[in-house]
Amino acid sequence: MNLANTAFVIIASILVLFMTPGLAFFYGGLVSEKNVVNTMLSVFIMTGVAILLWVFLGYTLAFSGNIGGFVGNLNHAFMAGVRLTSLTASHIPVGVYSLFQMMFAIITPALFVGAVVGRIRFKFLLIFLVLWSVCIYYPMVHLVWSPAGWLAKLGVLDFAGGTVVHINAGVTALVLSAWLGPRLAKNTPTQHYNLPWVLLGTAILWIGWYGFNAGSALAVNGVAMQAALTSTVATATAMVVWMFLDIWTTGKPTLVGVCTGTLCGLVAITPAAGYVTIMGSVAIGALATLASYGFIQLLKPRLGVDDALDAFGCHGVSGIVGSILTGIFATKAVNPTITQNGLAYGGGWHLLGIQLVATGFTIALVAVMGSVLILILRRLTPMRVDATEERLGLDQGEHGEQADYTVGLSERLADFHPDQELYAPEFKGQLQRLQHPTVQSNHNNGN
């Protein structure tokens, strides 16, 4: 065991886990007051469900054996027979690598929750999470990150989850939104519950993303350093570009816009983080932000698909752009383990072609499989809450809770009368004295 590498990946795993409550704050701050609890719970419950799923079926379907290059087998279901102390190529235990991958299995389904908040039944979402993980996510992990996977053998570059995580979650968000239908109040601007939460969630996600991207080097080395640097620079670029786009189009910079741009930069650099130069990360951050902003502002209204918090516009679009641009900006000078340079570094069109094939394949697989799962599941349980519950809010309708209890307290205080008012006759003399100009003046002067 390499102690430095092992400690590094354990810390990275904790950082990736930290991203899920960060996402809960990000989404929870963006939604309306009546759907805060439902949104945050829908994100955070992924931790428990996805961890158990990974132990029961995830690891074995992703990394045990190989069936047609698409999925693993069930030889290590419930982690049976897995030698957790055996070492990987970077001399970390298999158990630690499994822990790291487990955290990815948590955050990925949490990402698409933002598309369907305020109208999807919690029960349907939970069952869909289980089926989606088994039928889509674990096969995608095998395809890209297992040495026996078809896309891995094809030569796709996905350093930390452009296809496996972001395109996957983004396309799922779009598919769920399309089948679910628009919100009843789609055309009514949402009053965000808590903008400081949005900033807090963004900051937590950015911090956690170092575990996501730098941790994917699986070792303390130059590639991890490069991934940390490119992740930082691409994110800063995206943040600033989105702010200037807001100023250019609306005349005002917005906190929601800056936080959204930040997330686009983090998403876009994910597949390329350990393969590109710092200036390459600037280009990726800027181009992905332009694409996401253009989709959200121009194309999304014409599609008629109600992706409530722009999960596809952010994760899907920026993930697609980042995956494709990896084929342009990847270079052996940064990571000598890759077999060929990208288009911008004299490697020709071959790597770009591979990235295009992998990106298109991921979009098609997730769209088709996601639709099939939804069609089957809708026959078994209702997908959408009824109109009455949607108007009431899913916090009360689904959970019987509310985020801001001071609302109820303020209503009760409105009916509260101080003792002076309730017992005015008894305090008549004192009240007159307090209202006397001389007494009031002395009181104001501190006498």
Side-chain angles (χ1 to χ4, degrees), residues 62-349:
F63 296 111
S64 172
N66 178 53
I67 300 175
F70 282 83
V71 71
N73 56 36
L74 295 175
N75 289 353
H76 293 300
F78 301 97
M79 302 293 285
V82 178
R83 295 180 56 200
L84 298 177
T85 56
S86 61
L87 300 180
T88 67
S90 58
H91 297 281
I92 65 172
V94 166
V96 172
Y97 179 67
S98 176
L99 177 71
F100 183 64
Q101 285 289 341
M102 178 193 291
M103 301 311 167
F104 281 66
I106 295 170
I107 187 67
T108 305
L111 297 174
F112 60 67
V113 168
V116 293
V117 293
R119 60 198 196 277
I120 195 169
R121 287 189 181 274
F122 188 73
K123 176 183 176 182
F124 183 96
L125 184 64
L126 278 185
I127 300 173
F128 180 80
L129 162 64
V130 174
L131 297 177
W132 177 89
S133 297
V134 173
C135 299
I136 298 177
Y137 182 73
Y138 303 148
M140 279 301 307
V141 174
H142 184 84
L143 279 161
V144 176
W145 287 334
S146 170
W150 175 65
L151 291 177
K153 288 185 175 181
L154 190 65
V156 65
L157 296 183
D158 187 352
F159 190 75
T163 54
V164 177
V165 176
H166 295 296
I167 299 176
N168 188 357
V171 173
T172 302
L174 188 66
V175 170
L176 276 171
S177 300
W179 284 104
L180 191 59
R183 289 163 290 174
L184 295 178
K186 176 187 175 183
N187 297 321
T188 304
T190 299
Q191 182 67 39
H192 302 305
Y193 173 69
N194 194 317
L195 289 183
W197 279 16
V198 177
L199 177 58
L200 173 65
T202 304
I204 292 173
L205 285 168
W206 192 341
I207 292 168
W209 225 285
Y210 289 104
F212 206 86
N213 284 1
S216 292
L218 301 176
V220 180
N221 56 24
V223 174
M225 176 196 69
Q226 189 74 15
L229 284 170
T230 55
S231 298
T232 305
V233 174
T235 305
T237 302
M239 173 196 287
V240 173
V241 168
W242 195 291
M243 182 187 70
F244 280 118
L245 287 170
D246 266 348
I247 294 172
W248 181 46
T249 56
T250 68
K252 295 179 181 179
T254 65
L255 178 61
V256 171
V258 165
C259 290
T260 303
T262 301
L263 205 58
C264 288
L266 291 165
V267 169
I269 196 60
T270 293
Y275 303 125
V276 300
T277 64
I278 290 176
M279 291 310 298
S281 71
V282 172
I284 290 172
L287 292 172
T289 304
L290 289 170
S292 284
Y293 192 92
F295 176 86
I296 292 170
Q297 299 297 329
L298 302 176
L299 189 56
K300 178 188 170 184
R302 300 181 182 181
L303 286 179
V305 177
D306 186 15
D307 178 354
L309 302 183
D310 293 311
F312 177 76
C314 184
H315 295 278
V317 174
S318 287
I320 289 168
V321 172
S323 180
I324 294 171
L325 292 181
T326 303
I328 295 177
F329 294 110
T331 170
K332 296 181 194 178
V334 169
N335 193 328
T337 63
I338 63 177
T339 58
Q340 55 192 316
N341 285 326
L343 181 63
Y345 292 89
W349 294 90

